[in-house]
Structure formats: C-alpha cells, structure tokens
Amino acid sequence: GDPGRLSCLFVAPPECPVFEPSWEEFSDPLGFINKIRPIAEKTGICKIRPPKDWQPPFACDVRNFRFTPRVQRLNELEALTRVKLNFLDQIAKFWELQGSKIRFPHIERKILDLYQLSKIVSSEGGFEMVCKEKRWSKVASRMGFPPGKGTGSLLRSHYERILYPYELFQSGATLTVITLEMFIEETMKIHFLKSVIKNKEPKGLKIFSTSPKMVGLEIVSAGEDHFWLTCIFTYGRSLTVKISCCCGYFFSHIFVFFSPLTKTMVSTRSSIDLYLCLVCGRGDEEDRLLLCDGCDDSYHTFCLIPPLQDVPKGDWRCPKCVAECSKPREAFGFEQAVKEYTLQSFGEMADHFKSDYFNMPVHMVPTELVEKEFWRLVSSIEEDVIVEYGADISSKEVGSGFPTRDGKRRLVGDEEEYANSGWNLNNMPVLEQSVLTHINVDISGMKVPWLYVGMCFSSFCWHIEDHWSYSINFLHWGEPKTWYGVPASAAEQLEAVMKKLAPELFDSQPDLLHQLVTIMNPNVLMDHGVPVYRTNQCAGEFVVTFPRAYHSGFNQGYNFAEAVNFCTADWLPIGRQCVAHYRRLHRYCVFSHEELLCKMAADPESLDVELAAAVFKEMGYMIQEETKLRQAVEEMGVLSSEQEVFELVPDDERQCHKCKTTCFLSALTCSCSPDRLVCLHHAADLCDCPLGNKCLRYRYDLEEFPSMLYGVKARAQSYDTWAKRVTEALAADQKNKKDLIELKVLLEDAEDRKYPENHVFRRLREMVKEAETCSSVAQLLLSRKQRHRSVGKQLDELKAFVDQLYRLPCIISQARQVKELLENVEDFHERAQVALSDEMPDSSKLQALLDLGSGLDIELPELPRLKQELQQARWLDEVHITLAEPHRVTLELMKRLIDSGVGLAPHHAVEKAMAELQEILTVSERWEDKARACLQARPRHSMATLESIVLEARNIPAYLPNILALREALQKAKEWTVKVEAIHNGSSFAYLDQLESLLARGRSVPVRLDALAQVESQVAAARAWRERTARTFLKKNSTYTLLQVLSPRVDIGVYGNSKSKRKRVKELMEKERGGFDPDTLSDLEESLEEVRDPSAVVAAFKAKEQKEVEAIHSLRAANLAKMAMADRIEEVKFCLCRKTASGFMLQCELCKDWFHGACVPLPKTGSQKKLGVGWQGNSKDSKFLCPLCQRSRRPRLETILSLLVSLQKLPVRLPEGEALQCLTERAMSWQDRARQALATEELSSALAKLSVLSQRMVEQAAREKTEKIINAELQKAAANPDLQGLDVNIKYFRRGLEPPVLELSPQAKAQLEELMMLGDLLEVSLDETQHIWRILQATHPPSEERFLLELGLGGKPKKKKLKLNLDKNREMKQLAKRLAKEEKERKRKEKAAAKAEAIREGLEKRKEKKILDIPSKYDWSGAEDSNDENAVCAAKNCQRPCKDKVRTHRIKYCDLVIIISARTINLGVFL
C-alpha cells in the first residue's frame, strides 16, 4: 500500500490490555507480571496502573541534569519513505552527474511518484515489456490515475526520459567499453615523455593551469626504428595542447583550443584526430564528441547507452565516473545534537515547538490529532520536520528518577519506602525471582535503567530487547507516550513484511531491525496480517514488553521516562533461542547465556523452585548439545584440550571469530593465532592449520555436569515432599487436627524455599490466613474492648463463626470461649424482647440494656431497635421538660423538637407529643404574625385594640417575642400619655425641648397616640416662631445663636475667632458659677415639678444686665487709654485681628476701640457710591458700631412687640422667648428714661436749634447734586470737537457753612452719653437713640475726627480734612465698590425674605404703623443723596430742566451762573 495514503487515513490499532493491581498483588512485581503473562503476551505489550496512592517522588537533580539529545528527521524514520527518498536522491544525483538538473513532473496537479512508477513497471516486466504489450494504461490505473485521460502516455514519456537511463546505468550496460587510455598504458612505456613534459612545460600555458593532464595518444609509424608519438594535454577546461615528438624530442607545438560550450575540439590540423571515442574508437564527428568532466574520457553522444539527443548544458560525467560516484550509502543512524540541554531548557524548547506547531496550548492538543499528524509526517516526502530526543541516558551518570540508596543524598519522608519498592526500576532487575540478579556486571540499559527525555514527535523505532528479554518503562511525568506492540508470535512475520516492503534497506543493513532506526506505519503492517496493538502511557503508569515482542512509539510532548530489562524463569528457553538467532546473524551477545545457567546451577538453594526447575531443564538441553559438539571436535581430530576459567576472560576476548557469540563452556583455538578462537559450532572456520595445532578449551569437564544437575534437581524435588505434608494436614479429621503453629511452619518453609505459587501453596496460605483471622476475631470478641467494635457479629454470624472455628483444619484455642459468648448473646436476646414490648419507652431501662449489649461486642439485631426506642424516650423526656417551662418554649425550639421528632421511628407516644407541639407552634405563629402586623400597621392601632390582643395571647404557653414587643410598646404608650397629660394639667407650660423629646419618644412607639398630633402642632408652632425671630434678629452667617443675641453679653472684651471666643466665654462662665446661664433655660428635666420659675429667670437676666454695663465701662476706659500711648502706638493692638494701627481705621461708638477699614464693614450712609473722603464729610451723621457690639440686625421695637404677641399665643416655653421678653422690658425701660431726659428744657431747646441745621443740610445736599450735574455737562463740553482749543477751568466758590455747635451743661451731656452707651447695648432700634446721637454730635467741635488716616493718631488734631494720596484713594474706591455691591445684594435678599414672611404671616401679622410718643418735625431723610440724576430738584422755584430740556450753553440754576468765554471757561458757584 501507499504509506502516504495510509497516513492520511490512519486507523488506530486496538488497545492493549490494561491492568490495575490491588495492593496485595502490587506487593509482588514479578509475581503479578507472571500472573498476567498469559493474557498480556498475546498483545506483546501491556499497561499497568499502580494503586492511586503509589506516587514515587522524582529524585533527579534537576539543576545538574544535562544531556545531549539525538536529532531525528521524521520522514527518514519510516522504512518506505526512506526507501523512496534514497531512490529519488539517487535519481537526482545520477542526472546531476549527467549535467542535468532533474525536475519532478506533475500529473493531475500532483507530483509524480517516480519510486512507485519504477516499482509498478518493474512488476509488470520492465520498460521494454510494458511498451511491447502496451500496459501503460494498466500502470496508470495501478498508480490511482483515472482512465481515459492519456495518463499512460505521459507516464511512458516521463519514464523513458528520467527512469530508463538510470535503469540502464544500474544494469551496467554503460560500462562495457575498454578505454583507449588503459590500452596504451599497458602496451607502451611513456615515462620518458612525461618527464620531459614535466621539465619543459611551456611558460605560456601556466596562466591556465599548473597540472597538465594527458587525455589522448596518437601513434604513427616513422620507419623501422622510429615512430611518431603525439600526446594531447589539457589545461583546465578551456585549453588543449597537442605535442608531437620523434624518439623523445620535441618536434613541434600545436595549440588546440577547447570550447566548453560545445564540448568539441578546434584543431589547427585536420588530418590528425585529437580525441577518440572510447566506445567506437573513432575521432570523427567531433561536434558529437563529449568530454567527461570527471576523467576527461571522450564519448560520442550516439555511442552512449542510451544515446543522448543533445549535448548536456552542465557538467557531464561518463558512465565509469557515474558508477564510482554511486557507491552504496553508509548505514543510516541518528546524529547527536550540537547543543547541550538542561531539563528546563529542553522543556521550554519542546513546549514552544508543540504549541507553535498546533497553534494551541500544549495541554489542549488531543492525543488522536498528534498521532495522526505523526504518521502523516513520517510518510511525507515534501515536509521535513526535525525533532530531538534525549534517549538512552544512563541513570548511573545523571541519577535515576526513583529514590535510590546510592549514598549520594539522604532519603527523607516516604523516599525510603519507594527506594525499597520492587517496582523501583533500579530494584526490579535484581529481584530474587529475576534471572539477571545472577549477573554480577552492571549492564547499562539492562540492569542499570536508562532515562528518556522526549518532546512532541520524538520516537523510538521498531525493535526487540537484547536477548529477547522483558522490558518495563515508567513515565515519571509529562505528556503521554504512545506505544505500538506486536506479540512474539508475529515477530518473524513483521520482519518478513518489512524486508518485503523495503528490501533496499536490508540489503545495505541486514541487521536493520536491531539498530532502532526504522519505523513502519502500523496500518501497513496490519494490512499485511501483522497484529499490532497500541496504548497511551500517562504519567505514573508502567508499560511492560514481553520477550521478542516488537514495539515502537512516539512521545505526545515533553515528558520524562525510565526503562530497564528483567528476565524471569519462563524467559530461559527464549533466551537460548535468542543466542542461536544471534549466532545465525553473527551478532554480538550482551552476556553469555551458558555462563548465566552455570552460575545459577552452582548455587541451587538461592533459586526459586520454578526457576530451579527451569534451570534444570535448560541445563539438560545445554549439556546434551555441548556433549555432541565436543564429540564432533574429537572426531575431527582435535586431541589437545585444556581447561580455562572463561568468566575471568573479558567478553571481547572470548568471542567467536565467526559468529561473534561469547564462549563459555568451550572454544577452539590454534597456535597460529592464540588470540583468535571460535565456538564449537564453527570449529572448521578457525584456520587451515593442521588439527594437531588446535586445542579445545573447556570450562567444565563433562563429568562435572551430573553433580550440577543433581543440586538443581534436589532443589526442584524438595517441593514434592512439602506438598504431600500439606495435603495430609489440610485433609485431617477432627481428632487428628494439627495446631495452627504447624501449618505456619509449613507455610514459612514454602516461602523460604520459594516454592511455586500453585494450588497447594495458595490453599495452605488461605487456610493459615483464615485460621489466623478467626483466632484474631475470637481474641477480640473475648477481650471486651470497645475499640474492637468493628469486628462485632450478628447473632446468626456468631453462630456461623462458631461453626467455622470447629470446621478449620487446625485447632483454635479460643473456640470454647467463643461458644460461651454465644450463649450469653442468646440470653440478652430474650431480655431485649421483653423491654421492647413496653407500652411507654423507659430511657433508663433501655440505656442499661444498650450498655449490656455493647459490652458483648456483638452486632445484636436488638441493638438498633433498642437505640431507636432510646432516642424516642429521650425525645419525649426533652419535650416534657420543655413544656414544663413555658418561658423557655421559643418558636425555634419547638421547630427543632418537631424536626428531630420527624426523624424518629413511628410510636404512638411520639405522635401524641408531636401533635401537641404542632398545635402550640401553630397558635404561637398565628399570634406572632398578628402581633407583627400590629407593630407594622399603618395607621397604627389604638391602645385598646392592642390591650385586647395582649390579654388574649397571655395564656399561650410559649415565648413570643412579638407579643412581648407589643406589650412593651403598649406600656410605653401609657407612660407617654401620662407625661403628656401631666404637662397639659400643669401650672406652667413646658419648654420646647421637653416637648421635642416627648415627640421623639411618641413617634417611636408603634401605637396610635391621640395627643401626638397636638404635641406635633405645638412643637411646629414653637419652631416656626423661633425661626421667624432668628430671621428678624440674626445677621446672615452670624456666629451668634438667637439666645446669645437676645441675652446680655458675656463676651465683652473677648477677641478672636468663634471657636476661641466660645472657649473663652466658657471659662468666664465657669468662674461665675452662680450667675445666669441662658443655656440653662432650655435644660429638660425628667421631673416636671422642677421647671424654673419665671421670676427667677427675670432676676438672673437683671443681674447679667448689670454685669454687662460694668464690663462695657471697663472696656471703654481701657480702649480710650490706648490714645494716651501715642509714642508707643506701634505696640498697641487694635481691631478684631488684634494688630497694630495701619491704613484707614474707624472707632466704635460703644467700645471705643479702633478697627481697620478692611476688617469691618463700613457704616451705612445716604449713598454707598461715594466713600472715603466723601464719606468722611458726612462722618458726623454716620454712626459706627463694631461687629462685637452690634451683634444683630437690631429690629425696631414695633417688630419685637409683634413677635411678643405671637409668643403669647404659644402654649410652649422657649428660652429665646423669655430672653426676648426680658430684652423688650429692658428696651422699654430705657426708652422711658430717654424720653424723660429729652423732655427737659435744655435738651428741648437743643432739638429746636437742630431744625435749622436740618434745613441747611437739605439745601447742601441739593447743591452737591447740582454740582455733580454741572460737572458732567462740562466734561461733555470738553469732549466736544468744536471746543477742543478751549481751556476749561472749573472753580468752586463755596460759602462757608459750619455746623452749629450746641452748648450743653456737663450734667446733661454726661446723662446723654450714659444713655447713649446703654442704648447702644440694646439689640433694638429706637428713635430716641438717633435723637441723642444727633445732639451729642452737635455738641462736638468740628475739628474732632473719629478716623485715623495713614497712622494719624500720634499728631495734633487737624482742623482740615486729610487728603488721601493716590494709592489710598484707589484703595478707598475699591473698598467702596465692594461694599456697595454687598449692600445691594443684602437689600435684595432682605426684600425677598420680607416678602416671604409677609405671605406666611398673612393679614393678622401686618406691620403696625410706626408711632413715636415724641413728635419729630425733623426729617433726616433729606440728607441722603438721590441716585437719580433726572430727579426733580428739592429747592423752591428750581429752574433746572428735566431730562431732555437742556439745549443752550447759558443756563441758570437757582443762584448758580455759568460763563463760557472764547479762550477759557470760568465757573463760579455762589451759595
């Protein structure tokens, strides 16, 4: 068949048997292999899976493990593929020597298989026969081409062109010509001519070649004594020289040139032929004359066989040169790789190769795919895949994969066990049953394991083991190894098939199958009737090959395996046949088979009985054959003999010169060559010397053999005596039974003598084992130890056990005691039946019986029922105890009891208790669900409903958490209701915090509370009032609480941030523990009777007022004292930032401290657009209070009275409300004092004088407005192009108007200043404070300044305003813009808040009309500037045009005249 076609359709052979030994079987490796041999040897190979727990550790030193692998070309491994490659290689080489490069033809888009074509044409009778009988269509059909396409003609053309010349060459038809050069050299002596040419070489020829070669001779007669000799020499390939001489002298030089393109000669003389054809002997037709590039012989193209049609274009060789270049190839073998690997580097290379080849991770490639791809590659000519295989690595050099006792390293853990195991491949060859243990030499590969490191596609070829021994292979780790095996019965059939299919390989290598270099597709072998089996060996598995079983395979990927040989007794006859086979093949032996037999026979007691029997049998055959051979040598006439100890002679010095067999029993030598010897089978092949010179050398005399046979025979026959004694002991009757010890002695004797494991041996072992087991069981039964419960018996089994004890073929001492135990068990049985028939199970009684039965160590049939009844009794006891204490009966406990009761066996008492538990559980769950629903109900249930539920569930005998929670909630609801009623029925309202706490508690109670809504409304109203009051008093982002603002100040003189201030205030409060603490007003007491009395609150408020006044007096005095430190002003700290004076500063009218303009907001004036110098002009009309003194918005008294009216409607006490009442009372008290002071005659007249000042200030404001308009018009005129050349000068002439200065008595002035200070402490806006402020301002001289500009505190009082430089002016303008923007935003938010407040309050909260008790005819609003430039002037009869009425350059406003001249503009202002 075609191997390429078979590989594409590769069919896996059937699987070999797989064995999984038990631990007992696994304990005897060779015994187990001998047991499975009848089955496994039918397939040649088998696989053994050790028990799962048998996992030997990998003992190789991975770091130091280095090896050099073999290189394998896959398509050179397969026999048919290699034959085909060799054939194609010879064809290509033949045509290359003929000067042509062959190109393989294509037919039907496939490369033509020239090897197959050659074989088919040869089988059809050869080229001539196929052409004669026109069989080319048949040839095409046999090659698989479809008929009817003229394929036969193509095949004939290709055969004739490519293969036919090669076949003619192979047949030797081209080498029948005798060359002329040979003839001349035989008939003439031309040494003289060669010497002349050598010494007289023409100089002009040196440039072409330094070694001329004679290519032809021409002999011409020149008379009787003389002749003309013409020699033709060539220099290289391009020049030919023809030299003629007579009697050795140069006659002439004739140059002939050679054309390398046409292979023809161009001569200057046409009468003489320069080259002669070696076939026809003529030199004519020089254009058809070829010159060989190898030997320079000449041939006509038409004289060649077959003739050439054209002159070859390349180098051409003659048939003689082609024959010399086509000698047989060297024997095929594997090359060693150049690179040395470690296990890690080889593994990386192997994994990388496989993953790249299959384009997937290595562990995901199916074994079937790898197998098919392997056989495809080995059969492919086109694909050349190269792999590497670390094979035949001696474990003696690099170490075994199994733990060994080599002393190189210490064994740890379970390595000791595996080092001693018989399955350790280092131990298996030398086991007692192994034949190889009697060979003292360590044979590498046989007794010493070899290691194999494989990669994907690396393979081992078809072979059998040396001496046809067993082999065993263990795969330590890695990917599987695929095996193919052929049984020994088909070994010769396999050899015949391979020789038939690839005879060319065996012609060059007769022992090809022993070289492990050839593989053949299993399907090809199976097609020829060879049985092949396969298996995949995985990590941790063994593969065993049997004697003469051919096997091969390949590796699926990176793995590590170890293999070794072993031989058992059944191998001995096979080993003898193998030596005879080796003798026929002239192959070397690994060891001497005869020497091995004699060595075993010399020590028969060390042999196994079966091995002794096999040795006895083999010794008989060996002695018989040796006797015949010696007799034959004596008959030949060899009379000399000499004894020699052959085992002391090295093996290579005692090998037969003819057949290479290692001699041991005898050999024949000759005195002509003492070192050469032959075995007696080849005595005639030693030498031709007389027989008297030859000597027979022997190891044992023939008389010694009988004694050797006797020892082996005695060892084998001792078994018969032993077997007879055993048979008698096992068949003895009750009276003649032997003791167990005697049977053990017989068994130990058999084990010591290694008797065969036959029926008698196994029956004795079974009987001894059974007797020992029965004795042990009996001893355990009688020991009454609980740890031996596992050997307990049922009653029936105990009876059977007693019967077994009395049936044993030996005496058991415990048999009588066991019989007594049986009687006790039967008594227990009767008592247990009585206990199980009771109506109500009694746990104590049942427990006592169980203890008694357990002490017998017998699996009594009553014990399970007793245990069952005991479980029922204990469960009933637990139920009764649980129901006796209802507070412990939870739902989970009842469910657990029911679940445990469900698993009990049926019993009427259990069923009754289960029903009672289930009823309680059902009722409890129903009431629990009802209570849970009540707790989660929306809207919530009333207290009466919950009360009824709690009363109804009171009688349930179980612990119900939801009912308890409902009861607790009901109790809380009652307590809450009592507290609320106590508050409502009390003499005074409760504080808001108290109600908030009650509200929080009430909302968390899952009961409907009727008073909860009322409390919620009261709390909501109180919170709304507090928020409204906070919006009225508190500034935006205020750091003060409402209660702090409404209460007297306790932080007077305390500076810093809010955190440090709070800390300081706390310290001050701690120093005055007995004083009034506003925060204590809101403390919630548990007892409602301890509510603070309102009179006590008022008294505490008054005390704080007094302390506040005293503190402000001290602070004012301290701050005024700073002005006296003008010389050290840089050390004085001012302002909120507590830094020194700098830049623009303001003085607070209350605390008298100075503040930086950038640290505090500037006081409000009539217009926020002009600040700085403009603002200072109105400084006497503006009042500045620092943020520490003015903590709130200071609403008007009317607004506060409205809040108090709302407070009176609240049934809740608020600390803020009480503080507001105290503040209002304080403000009204101060207002009465202020009105009384202002009503005096002195102050009344002062107020009258201020009316004139008010009118003048109104007029002054109007004039400033007019000046602003005029200034704007003049700026426009200056920008007019028509007036660009004018010089505009604006001059202001202002009439002096100084504010009137009032004169007051010191008493009146002091009284007003005291009132002013107390009024500024109030967080309320009163008109009286403004009146007093105006009067006090009028009393101050105009030179008094309340501002510091550029550190001006240290100088004298300035009478004129200070001028600001440009930087200060710019700073003031920026500050003014910022403040104006903030003020505008604040007003907008205040308007929005006021609007929202008005909507909330409604009609009942409208603001009351502002009414003052003191009629004021002074309107101070006129002092404010209007922001509208188009507003109507306030002056009487004002003629200022409005809006777009300004048209001319001459305008008259009031008393103001504008005069515009041609050159200048002078403006005068007269007021």
Side-chain angles (χ1 to χ4, degrees), residues 1144-1163:
F1144 177 71
M1145 301 188 68
L1146 299 90
Q1147 185 181 29
C1148 175
E1149 292 298 335
L1150 180 55
C1151 65
K1152 296 301 181 180
D1153 200 358
W1154 295 85
F1155 296 86
H1156 300 104
C1159 295
V1160 296
L1162 298 179

Side-chain angles (χ1 to χ4, degrees), residues 834-849:
V834 175
L836 292 174
S837 61
D838 292 342
E839 182 72 16
M840 191 71 177
D842 186 353
S843 59
S844 59
K845 184 177 180 182
L846 293 172
Q847 185 63 50
L849 274 174

Side-chain angles (χ1 to χ4, degrees), residues 1087-1107:
S1087 178
L1088 298 178
E1089 288 77 8
E1090 297 182 1
V1091 178
R1092 186 180 296 275
D1093 185 24
S1095 59
V1097 175
V1098 173
F1101 196 91
K1102 292 293 184 182
K1104 276 298 179 185
E1105 289 180 10
Q1106 185 62 31
K1107 290 185 178 180

Side-chain angles (χ1 to χ4, degrees), residues 1197-1370:
L1197 187 59
E1198 293 81 351
T1199 305
I1200 296 175
L1201 293 176
S1202 175
L1203 292 173
L1204 288 176
V1205 171
S1206 302
L1207 178 64
Q1208 295 300 322
K1209 298 177 182 179
L1210 296 177
V1212 183
R1213 292 181 64 182
L1214 289 93
E1216 293 84 355
E1218 294 176 349
L1220 182 60
Q1221 289 176 350
C1222 294
L1223 176 61
T1224 305
E1225 182 180 353
R1226 180 181 180 185
M1228 295 178 66
S1229 174
W1230 182 88
Q1231 188 181 42
D1232 292 341
R1233 292 178 57 192
R1235 288 179 179 178
Q1236 293 175 6
L1238 292 175
T1240 59
E1241 182 179 357
E1242 183 180 6
L1243 295 181
S1244 298
S1245 61
L1247 286 174
K1249 291 180 182 180
L1250 287 177
S1251 62
V1252 178
L1253 176 60
S1254 175
Q1255 183 63 29
R1256 291 181 179 179
M1257 291 184 68
V1258 171
E1259 294 174 357
Q1260 182 179 356
R1263 284 195 299 271
E1264 291 177 356
K1265 189 69 174 182
T1266 303
E1267 291 171 4
K1268 185 190 301 182
I1269 297 172
I1270 295 170
N1271 187 32
E1273 293 296 335
L1274 291 177
Q1275 293 295 334
K1276 292 180 181 179
N1280 193 343
D1282 298 336
L1283 301 176
Q1284 287 295 327
L1286 300 180
D1287 184 13
V1288 180
N1289 295 324
I1290 302 176
K1291 299 180 180 179
Y1292 295 90
F1293 302 96
R1294 187 172 179 181
R1295 300 176 182 176
L1297 178 62
E1298 294 293 336
V1301 179
L1302 298 180
E1303 295 292 342
L1304 295 178
S1305 62
Q1307 294 81 7
K1309 187 175 181 180
Q1311 183 183 10
L1312 288 180
E1313 289 179 351
E1314 180 67 20
L1315 285 173
M1316 190 72 257
M1317 183 195 69
L1318 296 178
D1320 288 339
L1321 286 174
L1322 298 176
E1323 295 296 337
V1324 182
S1325 294
L1326 298 171
D1327 291 339
E1328 287 74 13
T1329 57
Q1330 189 69 12
H1331 298 331
I1332 297 174
W1333 164 253
R1334 293 295 182 184
I1335 295 174
L1336 289 175
Q1337 288 296 100
T1339 59
H1340 292 164
S1343 60
E1344 290 189 14
E1345 293 292 339
R1346 291 168 289 112
F1347 309 101
L1348 286 159
L1349 295 176
E1350 298 179 356
L1351 298 174
L1353 279 172
K1356 298 179 180 179
K1358 299 179 181 179
K1359 296 183 179 180
K1360 297 182 180 180
K1361 292 188 295 181
L1362 297 174
K1363 294 184 179 180
L1364 301 175
N1365 55 26
L1366 294 178
D1367 294 338
K1368 293 298 179 180
N1369 193 17
R1370 190 180 301 110

